[in-house]
Amino acid sequence: MSSVSLENVSKRFPGGNLAVDDISLTVKDREFLVLVGPSGCGKSTTLRLIAGLERCTNGKIRIGDRVVNDVAPKDRNLAMVFQNYALYPHMSVYNNLSFGLRLRYGGGIVNRGIRRLFKPGQAAKLTQLRRGIDQQVRQTAERLGIEPLLHRKPHQLSGGERQRVALGRAIVRDPAAFLFDEPLSNLDAKLRQKMRSELKRLHREMQATMIYVTHDQVEAMTLGDRVAVMNGGKVLQIDSPLAIYHRPANLFVARFIGSVPINLQPGVVQPHGSNLRFQGGGLELEMETCFGPRPDADLTSVVLGFRAEDIRLTDVSSPPIRGTVVGVDRLGDMSHVHVSLTDNQTGKKDIDPQTDNLPTDNLNIPPTTAGMLVARSAAGVTVEIGQTVGLAINPERILWFDAGNGKNISKDQT
Ligand code: ATP
């Protein structure tokens, strides 16, 4: 297996579209890196540049120590798995799996092609080669649990089985690295989950370098050793899934990652005695200075962020914050409680759309509405729409962002 690195790589398509904008990153040998971002952010183009299916306008791409900018795709020794499987419809599963090996060893599509390479008298060598290919195909089929399907054609398989065959075709080649472009998006939710675990297991067993493109943040979080969040052709942050979740570099990453959107409230911070007070979006919150933003930050224009699991529903009798329940999503094992702060007894009544709007940053994600919060509660907690609840936000988990440029300005992010 090999590392893969990009050094100041850009791709401008004819017509001027800058799909990849000066990306530098290294995928370490045996690492599972996920490229995640909204539609059109440039993740597939980045993968295609690595595969050699597109030529970069600037920069260098290395596989191991070798610069491969001028190396043809077939000579890069990479295996790519696409969303649409791209199986040969007229071939059996066995032949789909062995096709690449026969090409590599024999230079022909069918056994006739292999035979042509050998002069009469070399039958023993031919037999040995065939046995080797057969062994590799059967080992791969066993690894993926598709041995009983080897005689079938792709149209006789389910979506999940087809995806396994596509995976098998990549594995059997023993490439320098695997490239996956949204390989699970045609599968239903349950099967996706199953295939995610299988991919994770395969990665562990094979100790392979894998680069995986998805727009699904759950896939990114569960699969990646590291995750690169992309937008507008740039990598905004590259880090471990938990670091990305807990220490997002900016508002875009904070909003993109997390199955429940992060709570964000724009406002101002002011000293309040020996403490700090945040005001904005119907929220007034006092906290110790140590939980505030970096001292050099512009405190007059901040966005306060916290995740649903960092709010606790409390008794209304001693509330730091009060709000009115406007919706409850009961998920069985937990509930998401949507709370309006603008109709409470301690917060302000009106939201100013001018000052309480979040900065726009070209997101395809609906912004959290100012004055609204989502809190996670245990399944047993019963709250009803219209009920007044108290809310306690864990100050240790509060994130701060610059409302102007969206950058994380938290002091110490854990
Ligand atoms: P998706 O998740 O929708 O597949 P993506 O993040 O993979 O999106 P890309 O396919 O890499 O995005 O496209 C990045 C940008 O480059 C988009 O604006 C797209 O329209 C543009 N683009 C992609 N291929 C071409 C092309 N062949 N010619 C011109 N523009 C292209």
Side-chain angles (χ1 to χ4, degrees), residues 13 17 19 38-45 182:
F13 283 107
N17 192 355
S39 183
C41 70
K43 48 197 189 299
S44 292
T45 306
E182 308 239 15

Side-chain angles (χ1 to χ4, degrees), residues 147-376:
E147 290 159 293
L149 310 176
L150 284 173
H151 62 283
R152 291 206 209 158
K153 297 266 174 66
H155 74 270
Q156 296 169 313
L157 304 174
S158 72
E161 290 165 344
R162 264 180 242 165
Q163 192 50 271
R164 269 198 201 100
V165 178
L167 262 177
R169 211 173 47 175
I171 291 169
V172 79
R173 293 180 44 201
D174 191 21
F178 291 90
L179 309 180
F180 298 99
D181 193 352
E182 308 239 15
L184 308 185
S185 29
N186 285 348
L187 307 179
D188 66 47
K190 211 163 183 179
L191 202 49
R192 280 173 81 121
Q193 198 176 5
K194 187 158 180 251
M195 291 299 290
R196 275 208 302 269
S197 320
E198 286 196 21
L199 263 176
K200 200 78 186 146
R201 175 182 59 81
L202 277 174
H203 178 246
R204 247 193 336 266
E205 282 177 13
M206 298 177 68
Q207 300 270 299
T209 309
M210 295 185 167
I211 308 176
Y212 189 103
V213 157
T214 181
H215 63 273
D216 180 344
Q217 56 91 27
V218 175
E219 237 166 69
M221 295 292 284
T222 50
L223 281 173
D225 294 327
R226 283 190 307 156
V227 174
V229 182
M230 291 186 66
N231 194 34
K234 287 188 178 296
V235 171
L236 303 185
Q237 185 171 6
I238 178 162
D239 218 326
S240 70
L242 286 184
I244 295 236
Y245 185 78
H246 291 301
R247 298 192 294 276
N250 53 43
L251 274 174
F252 181 91
V253 177
R255 281 198 232 177
F256 192 78
I257 299 293
S259 46
V260 179
I262 187 169
N263 293 298
L264 295 169
Q265 301 295 332
V268 294
V269 181
Q270 283 166 332
H272 187 73
S274 59
N275 287 346
L276 287 177
R277 176 185 274 175
F278 169 85
Q279 277 181 295
L283 184 65
E284 282 188 16
L285 191 63
E286 200 173 312
M287 72 202 74
E288 289 175 48
T289 315
C290 62
F291 299 124
R294 283 203 304 261
D296 57 334
D298 173 9
L299 301 186
T300 59
S301 184
V302 298
V303 177
L304 172 79
F306 47 93
R307 300 216 177 255
E309 63 271 26
D310 298 326
I311 317 177
R312 202 163 36 84
L313 297 183
T314 65
D315 198 329
V316 278
S317 59
S318 58
I321 311 162
R322 279 188 202 177
T324 307
V325 176
V326 292
V328 184
D329 303 328
R330 296 183 209 283
L331 302 174
D333 56 340
M334 66 174 125
S335 296
H336 292 139
V337 183
H338 300 258
V339 179
S340 166
L341 298 171
T342 55
D343 190 24
N344 64 68
Q345 294 149 41
T346 56
K348 67 180 187 184
K349 296 280 180 196
D350 301 314
I351 295 288
D352 177 352
Q354 292 304 312
T355 56
D356 287 342
N357 273 347
L358 290 169
T360 54
D361 51 5
N362 187 23
L363 289 180
N364 296 320
I365 309 160
T368 316
T369 315
M372 291 290 300
L373 298 180
V374 185
R376 180 189 291 175

